[in-house]
């Protein structure tokens, strides 16, 4: 599905999703940078994703490569759907530590077709400190055509917070709201990320959305769930996204990836 006026959430706290690949998920820092191994200068991960649309019953694919150092992330991606719409993208994200006030995360993303987007997010969480912390963010694009892989509006504001506890993991609650294009778009996320036995990790993102795809279009409501399972250097992400991009389409997503 080709859309306008959305950015793939490269965010400021971390993809847009999924990555992004996902600039989006990163916006609330639910997909943090991978730790560097002693011999690594950059930690790399690659992902291949498939998206099935309930309206057209077609499959689209996305490939992406991400890398990170301690405070910098960068990515390349390529999307193609059965209608031969293709889009290449690239992005970078930089974290600046604010001593006892967490970190300030800024991102920039570009894509073929002239798209440019950016965001800035304050994540009040301090490293290795448990408890509550705030999240505040702002995203802007030049509203050029862009295929949004995380299905959250990026001409928007973000507010929310996280609760961290070493034994329980991290729980994040946040909303992303259109504050520019008058679509009343709102997406609310509740995300849990934690460690499991045998070096496994689990991230669960439950979300609800409401709003219109464009000004004057009917408003829709939908829910969704995304689950990511990590096993050492490999990971799989499965998701069901109802009313994706505020349309009538429901999308099933499957992505496989590995770190190197």
């Amino acid at each position: 599905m080709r859309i306008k006026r959305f950015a793939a959430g490269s965010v400021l706290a971390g993809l847009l999703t999924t990555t992004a690949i996902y600039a989006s998920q990163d916006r609330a820092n639910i997909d943090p940078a991978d730790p560097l191994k002693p011999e690594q200068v950059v930690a790399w991960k690659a992902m291949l994703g498939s998206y099935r649309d309930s309206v057209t019953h077609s499959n689209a694919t996305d490939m992406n490569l991400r890398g990170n150092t301690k405070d910098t992330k960068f990515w390349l991606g390529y999307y193609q759907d059965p209608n031969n719409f293709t889009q290449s993208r690239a992005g970078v994200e930089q974290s600046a530590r604010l001593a006892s006030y967490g970190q300030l995360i800024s991102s920039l993303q570009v894509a073929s077709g002239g798209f440019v987007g950016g965001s800035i997010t304050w994540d009040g969480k301090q490293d290795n400190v448990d408890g509550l912390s705030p999240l505040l963010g702002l995203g802007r694009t030049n509203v050029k055509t862009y295929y949004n892989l995380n299905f959250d509006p990026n001409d928007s504001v973000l507010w929310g917070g996280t609760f961290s506890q070493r034994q329980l993991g991290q729980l994040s609650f946040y909303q992303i709201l259109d504050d520019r294009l008058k679509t009343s778009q709102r997406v609310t996320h509740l995300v849990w990320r934690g460690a499991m036995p045998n070096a496994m990790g689990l991230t669960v993102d439950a979300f609800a959305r409401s709003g219109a795809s464009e000004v004057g279009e009917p408003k829709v409501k939908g829910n969704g769930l995304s689950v990511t399972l990590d096993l050492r250097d490999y990971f799989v992400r499965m998701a069901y996204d109802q009313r994706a991009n505020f349309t009538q389409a429901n999308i099933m997503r499957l992505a496989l990836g590995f770190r190197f």
Side-chain angles (χ1 to χ4, degrees), residues 91-246:
V92 63
E93 174 188 296
Q94 182 68 41
S95 300
R97 307 289 166 170
L98 302 176
S100 59
Y101 297 98
Q103 58 183 324
L104 192 66
I105 306 167
S106 55
S107 72
L108 174 66
Q109 184 159 297
V110 297
S112 56
F115 171 85
V116 179
S119 58
I120 187 163
T121 298
W122 173 48
D123 180 356
K125 177 173 168 46
Q126 301 178 51
D127 291 340
N128 302 315
V129 176
D130 289 345
L132 290 168
S133 55
L135 282 170
L136 295 172
L138 175 68
R140 285 292 182 267
T141 78
N142 63 351
V143 298
K144 295 287 187 177
T145 299
Y146 191 87
Y147 191 88
N148 183 347
L149 294 174
N150 72 330
F151 307 112
D152 287 342
N154 206 32
D155 283 284
S156 59
V157 294
L158 176 152
W159 73 271
T162 63
F163 176 77
S164 301
Q165 207 278 334
R166 285 177 177 81
Q167 284 71 39
L168 298 178
Q170 179 172 297
L171 185 68
S172 301
F173 173 84
Y174 61 97
Q175 285 190 327
I176 301 176
L177 305 93
D178 169 25
D179 71 326
R180 180 185 181 192
L181 302 178
K182 304 184 187 305
T183 60
S184 301
Q185 292 176 2
R186 178 193 304 262
V187 185
T188 304
H189 291 263
L190 181 64
V191 183
W192 176 79
R193 187 180 77 244
M196 301 177 67
N198 300 318
M200 296 176 65
L202 182 65
T203 302
V204 180
D205 179 3
F207 51 91
R209 67 162 49 84
S210 63
S213 60
E214 300 280 352
V215 175
E217 293 295 318
K219 294 182 180 180
V220 299
K221 292 184 178 181
N223 303 304
L225 181 70
S226 173
V227 178
T228 304
L229 180 65
D230 286 90
L231 179 58
R232 297 182 176 87
D233 291 333
Y234 300 90
F235 56 96
V236 58
R237 177 172 295 141
M238 296 167 288
Y240 174 71
D241 200 333
Q242 191 179 50
R243 303 296 182 259
N245 281 320
F246 306 90

Side-chain angles (χ1 to χ4, degrees), residues 4-48:
K4 296 184 178 181
R5 300 181 183 174
F6 296 90
S10 45
V11 236
L12 316 296
L15 181 213
L16 166 133
T17 194
T18 191
T19 38
I21 156 185
Y22 304 79
S24 66
Q25 287 190 335
D26 297 343
R27 190 155 183 186
N29 206 22
I30 64 171
D31 188 15
D34 289 324
L36 297 173
K37 298 176 181 179
E39 70 278 10
Q40 283 184 312
V41 176
V42 177
W44 296 98
K45 71 172 76 170
M47 181 182 289
L48 175 64

